[in-house]
Each structure stands twice: as C-alpha cells, then as structure tokens.
Amino acid sequence: MLAIALLAGIAHAAIDEDAREAFEAAQTHITQRDLRSAKVELLNAVAADPEWIEAQLKLAEVALELFDPVTAREHIDKAIKLDAPETAYSHLLGHALWLSGEADKAEAVLTQRTVARANMPYAYRILGRVYMDQGDTIAAGRAFESGLEIAPKDDRLWTEVARLRYVVSDMGGATSALEQAIALNPANVRALELRGRLVRDQFGLTAALPWFERGLQIDPNDVPLLEEYGNTLGELGRYGDMLMQARKILSLDTKNAKAFYMQATLAGRAGNYALARRIMGKVGGRFAELPGPQMLVAVSEYELGNFNTAIEILTRLVAAQPNNVELNSSLARALHRSGDHRAAWDVIAPIANREDADHYSTALAGRILEALGERDAAAFRLDRAAYPKIVTPLALAEKQSPGTAAAEAAREPRSARKVLPYVRLLLSAGQYEQARQAIAPLVSGNDGVVDAQLLVGDVEMAAGNRAGAIAAYDKARKVALNEAVLGRLVTAYRGAENADAASQVIAEFLAYNPSSLLGQRLAAFDLIDRKIWVQALPILYRMRARNGFNDSVLNANVARTLTALGEHDDAVREARLAYRIDPANLMTTYAYGRAVLMQGDDAKRARDLLRKASKLAPENKDIARDYRAAQKL
C-alpha cells in the first residue's frame, strides 16, 4: 500500500515514450552495476520528459551512488518544484547534503522531515554516517541499529556497521559484520572495498589485493575501489601498476584528488620533488588537508630546501597528532636543517630520551646536540645509535590530565578511544595494577580491539610479566598482524630467548608485506644474528635501494655481511662509504677496521681503525680480539 501511495504521489498523466525507453535502459545498467551508463540514460530520460518525478529522483539516487552530490541536488530540487512528496526525496536530500559536507543540515533533514518507511533503512544508514563524521559513534550505532530493526537483511547497513566498528578499532567486530554483508549480497562493492582495507590493516598489502580485484570484477569503474587498489599497489612497490590505476581514475574523474596524490607520490619516490609539489598543487578539497597529502607536501618542501614551509606544515600535523613519533621526528629534522637547533632538541628530546627510542631518532638527537655544542651528550647518543636493536615500543605520553582521562574512561569503559589514553597515562606513571583494572572492561569478551590487546601487552611487559605480554600480543596477532604487532612480538619473543618464534613471525609478516621497511629491517637483523649471511645480503641491498646510500649503519651492515661471506674487497668499499658518512660512529669504525683486517692489504689502516674502535668501546670483546690480531700483522 505504501508503494502504491508513493507511486501515485509522483506519477503524472503521460510519460514520453523516449523517456520510458531511456529509463528502462538505465534500470538494466543499474542491474549490471554500470552506473555511469545508467546516469547517461537517466539524463536522456529527464531531457525527454522533464516533468517525470520518478526519473528525476532515480537520477539523483544514481548520482549519489557515483558520489556526485551536485547532480543529485540539482535533480532533487527539480523533483521538489514538480511537487514531489517529501517522503519520496528526504532520504536522498539528506544523503546529498552529507556528501557535500553539510553534516548539520543533513542531520536536520534526516531527523525532522518525513521519510517513507520503505526509505527509512536508507535514511538511517546515511544518518549513521553523519553521526560518525560528527564524532558521535554511540549515536551512529543507534542509527544503524534502528535501520536493522526495520531491515535486518540490508547488506548496505551491515557494511556501515562494519565501518563503525573499524573506526573504533574493533577489527574482529568489523570482520564479522562484513561477512554478514557479503553473505547477503556478494556483489556489494562497498563491502568488498572495506573488506580489502580491513585485511590490508590486519594482514598486509598482498592479502588485500584479491578483495579489491573481486570488487573491480563487479564494477571495473568504481572510483573508490580503484583508489584503494592503486594505493595498495603503490605501497607494494608496483609503481607502474599504481600509475595505470591513477590514469584510469582520472579518465573517469578528471579532478580526482587521490589520483593526483598517487602521481605525486610516485614523483616523490623517484626523487623529483619539484614535480611532486607541482602535482600536489592540483589536489584540493578536504582530501588535501589530510595528514598523508600534507606530509607529502612537507617532504617535498624539505627536500627542495624550503625548510620554513616544511616546518609550518609539520607543526600543524604534530598539533593534530602529538603522539605520532614519525611526525615529531620529521619536525625535529626540519628545525635542525633550518638552523633552529634548540627548538629541534625540544621536539626530539621526549622521543630520544625513551628506552625504546629508534635508531634514527637517537642518531638525529646526537646530531642536534652536536650542533648545540654538547659534544659529550652527542657522543653518547651517536654511540647508542651505532648498533640498532629491537626494543619494546612504549606508550607515548598523553597530553590529557589524569583526572580528565579517568573521567572519560569511566563514562565509556568499553570505548577504546576513551579508555586507551587513560591506560597509557597509568602505564607511563608505572601504575600497572590500576592500568590492568582500567582496561579490563574494554578487553573482556572483546578480543577484536587490536590496540587494546597491544596495550594490555605493553602493561604486562612493563610490569615484568613477559609471558602475559606475549599472550596479549598473540591475541592481537590473530586479529591483525601489522607493524605494531610485529615489533612487539619480535621483541617479546627475543626477550624470552625464543628466536625461532621471532623468526617465524617476521617471515609470516613479510609474506604479505614484502615491501615493509620495518619487516625487512627485522628480517635482516634476525638473519645477521643467526649468521645466515647469504640470505641477509639481498634484503640489505633492497633496503638500500629504497633508502639511498646515506645510511651509515645500513652500509656498515652490508660491509659486515660481505666480510662474513669472504667478499673482502667489496666489504672494504662498503665499509669505507659508511665510515666517510659517519667517522665518529663506533659501528662504522669497527666494520671498516674489521673489513680491512680481513682483506689483509693494509695492516696500518686496520690497526688505526681498530685502535679507535677499541677506545670507543673498551669493554667490547670482539673489538679487542680483532685489535690484537691487527697488532700482530
């Protein structure tokens, strides 16, 4: 009866025959998921019969599926002028306003105007997305639940439930909802796209490709799918394939920001930062303000010597993500290069002073202290950076006050976004038992929140409960084996003297993420530690092909490996390169001295280098042994 009433409300006396044929052709295209052809046919239909309300609204609906709110709004307005009933277009109007970035207006339309019951699942689906954009995940969940009460088998609603769970870091719950959506409709390209993104975060780049490819078999011209597919190919190092996807996207959408971003990324990786910056000038809208595009612009400006511009961009990014180590390190590096060494130290100190400071941050801190004239402190940092090691990544300090964080966590004890900052504060204060109590409600019966499981592991590791930490990290691993999980598990297994388990995790990760620098670095260190030199060398070369030849420690590791393989001339060449870059570094000095010693052609140089290394590390037994051998030459 509702359907009959709706049709009666939007029907008019006689439909033009050409319009009817075009409309029917559009319906066929929609069934075949060829929405672009459907849009063309519907444009023909409304051109032939401008007063046909149903065609105007169907055109608006298809335009919204193509993420074109401008066309949708134009034809909704035409339908309204033709006296279309509010029940026929309210859900579409709300959708168009949301896509246009007018979330408040969209919410008003979807909550205050009359919506036909048949369109209510659609309206609740868009209302939930509006609430998500407003940061109200609880209201979003209620909206989706209301829609599912009316239409429990609506695959699009289940897709949005999955998206919400993904946003709140509930990977397990998101996977479950997506399985439901795809079971209801295997041709749901939005569900397939989100499944690919989820798998990419969980298990790596290679594992995600089949999901994107499956979606593109259904709709080869779906722009969001092409965007995700292209980005994933680029992250895998398949730059030619990424460029092909970017060009296809631009053939469908000539102003697509993400396609330009792909091209700019490719230019940056090739070292053409001027081109990268020029292409990024074409990227507009909200996408241009996201951290990824902003970071690419900042890197381009930095490499072109425009340090102040890079600092300005990086300062904004750090203000938005104060706990991001990479952003803080990049800002410190830019400040250092600009000559503002004191400001650079203020930024890098909280990172470099941590027990889990990475090699690059530690080395940068040493260079900054050197520029400040604090040579003893600089030497300590540079020596510490000389031998990179795998360490447990501890939580960064939160900016919230403990009282505020505790109140937020108490209000929403099962919200990861509210609880995790409070637990990190407790962890940094050494209050391990309170941290356990605070995080217990979040993880109870909910193993799918990876960040929570990782933090449980961090608390147990800091408290000295290595077995408990490994158990928590392993729970996270079952949901997602990403870089955060990898680093922690490898550290924990090595601390437990279970090198085989650490090696297995590294191999599993690299199977799906072959281009990951962290994975490659851990694999190389692991192979060197186990003296499997012949397998370590190709990985070191691949890392250097991506990082360039200016990494002294990486070059020194290449030299060490070549020395172990008996390739002494090559080892001396690589060690000399490492030493020239950083002659004060213990590792480069020792690697050079040992390479010359094993080559046997220059006894004096070997003695000089190994004497220097011995003074830098008088307690090191390996250096002492080689220095004694050099003295006998």
Side-chain angles (χ1 to χ4, degrees), residues 304-363:
L304 292 170
N306 301 322
F307 302 122
N308 290 334
T309 304
I311 290 167
E312 182 182 339
I313 297 169
L314 289 166
T315 301
R316 290 200 305 267
L317 291 173
V318 168
Q321 301 181 53
N323 293 341
N324 189 309
V325 172
E326 182 182 354
L327 287 177
N328 277 279
S329 297
S330 297
L331 176 57
R333 189 176 297 110
L335 287 164
H336 174 50
R337 288 292 302 277
S338 75
D340 193 348
H341 308 303
R342 178 55 58 188
W345 172 249
D346 291 341
V347 174
I348 201 65
I351 299 170
N353 288 336
R354 292 157 47 103
E355 291 181 15
D356 68 329
D358 64 280
H359 154 66
Y360 295 101
S361 298
T362 305

Side-chain angles (χ1 to χ4, degrees), residues 448-565:
V449 183
V450 175
D451 289 347
Q453 296 297 344
L454 290 180
L455 196 48
V456 169
D458 291 350
V459 171
E460 297 305 328
M461 184 69 83
N465 180 12
R466 195 180 302 279
I470 290 174
Y473 295 151
D474 202 50
K475 279 186 179 180
R477 172 192 183 181
K478 291 173 182 175
V479 181
L481 181 52
N482 52 33
E483 289 191 349
V485 177
L486 172 70
R488 285 169 167 86
L489 264 176
V490 170
T491 302
Y493 279 134
R494 283 184 167 273
E497 299 184 351
N498 190 348
D500 290 342
S503 301
Q504 183 179 346
V505 173
I506 294 168
E508 181 183 344
F509 178 82
L510 280 174
Y512 289 111
N513 300 274
S515 60
S516 165
L517 282 174
L518 174 63
Q520 290 177 3
R521 188 176 299 118
L522 292 177
F525 290 168
D526 179 61
L527 291 165
I528 289 172
D529 286 347
R530 291 190 288 145
K531 303 188 186 310
I532 307 177
W533 309 102
V534 72
Q535 293 182 30
L537 190 60
I539 298 175
L540 293 170
Y541 280 149
R542 285 199 296 272
M543 290 171 62
R544 194 165 65 175
R546 289 182 62 183
N547 285 355
F549 286 78
N550 292 323
D551 187 328
S552 61
V553 172
L554 179 55
N555 292 331
N557 272 310
V558 172
R560 288 176 63 202
T561 305
L562 288 167
T563 297
L565 290 170

